[in-house]
């Protein structure tokens, strides 16, 4: 197989189309990039994908979705982080240490022999 891979034969990907023939031989020059940016800025409003005809409606939908996707999860995660410990594991360990200290101060065995078989 010799020759140029993008000429003739099947496409290089399953998509084919624009991926079959490479674009240009190098990167765009700074002047081409500047002209493209200038053209994009002059064209005005560009839709965010919610409504292609009404800029105000497009911006409102964008703000609503960003609020729902960013702010609401942050509120729920913050709420979840500050919930009390429902397993009571910390309380049980602390209580066990207090009972052990109380029994040692009273001169009693830490665990009664009658409790353990």
């Amino acid at each position: 197989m010799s020759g140029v891979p993008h000429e003739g034969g099947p496409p290089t990907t399953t998509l084919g189309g624009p991926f079959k023939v490479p674009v240009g031989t190098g990167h765009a020059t700074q002047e081409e990039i500047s002209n493209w940016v200038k053209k994009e800025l002059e064209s005005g409003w560009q839709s965010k994908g919610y409504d292609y005809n009404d800029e105000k409606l497009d911006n409102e939908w964008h703000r609503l979705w960003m609020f729902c996707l960013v702010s609401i999860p942050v509120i729920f995660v913050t709420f979840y982080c500050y919930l009390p410990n429902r397993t009571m594991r910390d309380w049980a360990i602390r209580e066990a240490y207090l009972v052990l200290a109380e029994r040692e101060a009273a001169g009693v065995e830490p665990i009664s022999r009658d409790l353990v078989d």
Side-chain angles (χ1 to χ4, degrees):
M1 291 186 63
S2 63
V4 183
H6 55 80
E7 290 179 359
T12 55
T13 67
T14 56
L15 298 174
F19 300 106
K20 183 174 179 182
V21 180
V23 179
T25 57
H27 297 288
T29 64
Q30 185 62 39
E31 183 180 345
E32 291 172 333
I33 295 171
S34 297
N35 289 338
W36 182 83
V37 169
K38 191 181 300 182
K39 184 184 80 162
E40 286 294 315
L41 290 175
E42 287 173 356
S43 67
W45 167 67
Q46 187 173 11
S47 174
K48 294 176 180 72
Y50 304 101
D51 190 321
Y52 293 99
N53 300 318
D54 186 2
E55 180 179 1
K56 183 175 183 254
L57 188 61
D58 189 54
N59 285 330
E60 288 173 355
W61 274 106
H62 179 68
R63 288 183 185 130
L64 175 70
W65 275 103
M66 289 302 108
F67 176 76
C68 291
L69 293 174
V70 177
S71 301
I72 292 176
V74 167
I75 291 168
F76 279 122
V77 166
T78 304
F79 181 73
Y80 178 76
C81 288
Y82 284 98
L83 282 176
N85 182 7
R86 301 245 182 241
T87 62
M88 302 295 281
R89 181 180 168 93
D90 294 336
W91 174 84
I93 291 172
R94 186 172 55 247
E95 186 69 19
Y97 278 120
L98 290 173
V99 169
L100 280 173
E102 182 181 301
R103 291 179 72 91
E104 286 176 359
V108 183
E109 298 175 342
I111 298 176
S112 174
R113 292 184 188 274
D114 297 333
L115 181 65
V116 181
D117 287 334

